[in-house]
């Protein structure tokens, strides 16, 4: 079986990392040609990329709006590409489809199977008219890379010795709720520091970070915030280890690579009660939820996790269970089985009920 796999391949991109981790295992099962989304920015047309995908037995596309933004026409570009794909195709959705008729018609195309990361995402696609196959699998736990620096050395280098560290990881995207974390900070002990363990991926992210830093200065909290900038894989483990609590005060999400990394490193997590997080909390008891947008409740739940040893232990145990059950190796096997069903013209059987509670 030959699979054409359209994906970003650049450095410092969460979806490119997702694809790299998946392909490490997928290539053990099938023959894969990796086709970079960056080719569209280098001059290849979207129809050309679609025709190139069609040379395989199955096409698999990683979708996020930014991969189709040449000439600021993501719906038209996605439509132009997908119309040229004449073979069974799988689209992994890392964001919801755009509400544009040129995009929406593909939800009803029975030759396209969508892969998403939560049951809530499946239901959202069905509500938008998806009639074809939609498969759900959690965003896998990020593979752990050996640290190039000890946690103690990293903590000292960041000026965090003796501090309680609550951290938000990853690129500084606006949906991650940094302002809410800053608002919650005065309600936590004075020894608490908000660690922004990441930095901008683009100019918009840079503005998000600038806004957060300005708000912290205006609130007299600048000394209680640390910004690392981009954290390379060899330092992620150390940054995770020094984080007493990992925060995900998001205001919107489909899935989260930064949460998957925190779960991989078995950190206690406090996250907004958005549907994908509720699913994970119900399935694995690995997240302490707070009311989305409520800074007071965010502070209360952080305090609970810091002060309740049994709760911390339960969250860590839940994260370890997630890591065991939701791996890239398992996702590769599930994906390969889906390819086989598509080539046979059948649908995968509904998964049996699992203690994990997720498909």
């Amino acid at each position: 079986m030959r699979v054409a796999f359209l994906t970003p391949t650049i450095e410092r991109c969460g979806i490119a990392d997702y694809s790299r981790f998946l392909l490490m295992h997928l290539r053990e099962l099938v023959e894969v040609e990796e086709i970079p989304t960056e080719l569209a920015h280098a001059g290849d047309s979207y129809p050309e990329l679609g025709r190139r995908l069609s040379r395989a037995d199955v096409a698999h596309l990683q979708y996020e709006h930014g991969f189709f933004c040449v000439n600021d026409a993501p719906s038209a570009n996605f439509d132009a590409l997908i119309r040229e794909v004449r073979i069974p195709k799988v689209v992994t959705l890392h964001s919801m489809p755009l509400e544009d008729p040129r995009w929406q018609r593909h939800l009803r195309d029975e030759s396209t199977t969508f892969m998403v990361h939560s049951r809530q995402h499946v239901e959202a696609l069905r509500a938008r008219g998806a009639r074809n196959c939609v498969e759900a699998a959690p965003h896998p736990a990020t593979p752990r890379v050996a640290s190039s620096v000890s946690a103690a050395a990293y903590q000292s280098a960041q000026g965090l010795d003796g501090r309680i560290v609550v951290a938000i990881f990853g690129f500084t995207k606006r949906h991650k709720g940094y302002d809410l974390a800053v608002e919650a900070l005065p309600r936590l002990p004075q020894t608490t520091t908000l660690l922004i363990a990441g930095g901008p991926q683009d100019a918009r992210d840079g503005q998000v970070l600038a806004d957060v830093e300005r708000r912290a200065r205006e609130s007299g909290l600048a000394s209680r915030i640390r910004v690392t900038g981009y954290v390379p894989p060899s330092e992620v483990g150390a940054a995770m280890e020094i984080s007493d609590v990992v925060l995900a005060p998001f205001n919107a999400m489909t899935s989260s690579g930064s949460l998957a990394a925190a779960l991989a490193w078995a950190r206690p997590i406090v996250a907004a009660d958005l549907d994908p997080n509720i699913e994970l909390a119900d399935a694995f008891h690995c997240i302490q939820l707070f009311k989305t947008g409520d800074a007071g409740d965010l502070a209360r739940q952080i305090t609970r996790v810091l002060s309740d040893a049994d709760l911390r232990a339960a969250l860590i145990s839940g994260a370890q269970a997630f890591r065991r059950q939701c791996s890239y190796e398992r996702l590769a096997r599930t994906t390969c089985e889906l390819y086989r069903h598509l080539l046979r013209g059948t649908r995968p059987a509904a998964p049996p009920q699992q203690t994990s509670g997720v498909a």
Side-chain angles (χ1 to χ4, degrees), residues 135-269:
E135 296 293 316
H139 189 301
T142 305
R144 289 166 54 151
V145 175
S147 295
S148 62
V149 59
S150 71
Y154 191 85
Q155 189 158 10
S156 294
Q158 297 297 329
L160 293 170
D161 288 331
R163 305 292 297 177
I164 298 168
V165 178
V166 296
I168 302 177
F169 278 82
F171 297 115
T172 51
K173 304 296 181 183
R174 191 167 297 280
H175 74 271
K176 287 190 173 180
Y178 296 97
D179 285 351
L180 198 72
V182 172
E183 186 178 344
L185 199 53
R187 309 177 199 207
L188 299 170
Q190 283 288 333
T191 54
T192 305
T193 295
L194 172 62
L195 177 66
I196 298 177
Q201 187 181 31
D202 54 33
R204 287 175 298 178
D205 298 352
Q207 187 58 56
V208 169
L209 182 57
D211 290 345
V212 171
E213 292 176 322
R214 175 186 51 76
R215 179 167 182 173
R217 287 193 303 270
E218 292 173 351
S219 303
L221 296 169
S223 64
R224 296 180 61 185
I225 294 178
R226 297 285 186 281
V227 181
T228 65
Y230 174 73
V231 181
S234 62
E235 294 181 8
V236 167
M240 287 287 179
E241 286 186 51
I242 70 167
S243 299
D244 297 288
V245 181
V246 172
L247 306 182
F250 303 166
N251 52 58
M253 66 184 297
T254 51
S255 65
S256 170
S258 59
L259 265 185
L263 290 167
W265 287 94
R267 303 316 301 152
I269 296 170

Side-chain angles (χ1 to χ4, degrees), residues 3-166:
V3 177
F5 197 96
L6 183 74
T7 177
T9 60
I10 59 174
E11 296 296 323
R12 303 191 181 190
C13 170
I15 298 172
D17 288 341
Y18 175 99
S19 294
R20 279 189 280 271
F21 300 145
L22 176 58
L23 287 173
M24 282 192 296
H25 299 285
L26 199 55
R27 284 194 166 107
E28 296 175 358
L29 304 172
V30 294
E31 180 184 344
V32 179
E33 179 188 5
E34 187 175 10
I35 300 176
T37 58
E38 297 85 14
L39 290 174
H41 296 270
D44 287 23
S45 71
Y46 287 100
E48 286 171 342
L49 290 179
R51 289 189 287 272
R52 182 170 171 182
L53 286 165
S54 291
R55 296 171 191 163
D57 300 309
V58 177
H60 192 161
L61 295 74
Q62 302 298 308
Y63 178 83
E64 205 278 335
H65 310 317
F67 308 155
F68 295 89
C69 273
V70 171
N71 298 324
D72 196 27
S75 291
N77 292 333
F78 178 75
D79 181 63
L81 182 147
I82 208 78
R83 281 174 175 271
E84 295 296 327
V85 181
R86 309 297 185 183
I87 57 176
K89 45 195 174 288
V90 178
V91 179
T92 297
L93 288 170
H94 297 276
S95 58
M96 287 295 291
L98 293 168
E99 296 199 24
D100 181 297
R102 290 166 296 184
W103 211 118
Q104 292 291 310
R105 69 166 63 97
H106 299 294
L107 289 175
R108 300 183 294 275
D109 177 3
E110 293 189 359
S111 70
T112 303
T113 291
F114 294 101
M115 293 192 73
V116 296
H117 300 305
S118 69
R119 292 192 305 271
Q120 179 268 340
H121 205 166
V122 173
E123 292 164 3
L125 290 183
R126 296 288 186 214
R128 291 192 183 192
R131 286 185 256 168
N132 46 340
C133 186
V134 183
E135 296 293 316
H139 189 301
T142 305
R144 289 166 54 151
V145 175
S147 295
S148 62
V149 59
S150 71
Y154 191 85
Q155 189 158 10
S156 294
Q158 297 297 329
L160 293 170
D161 288 331
R163 305 292 297 177
I164 298 168
V165 178
V166 296

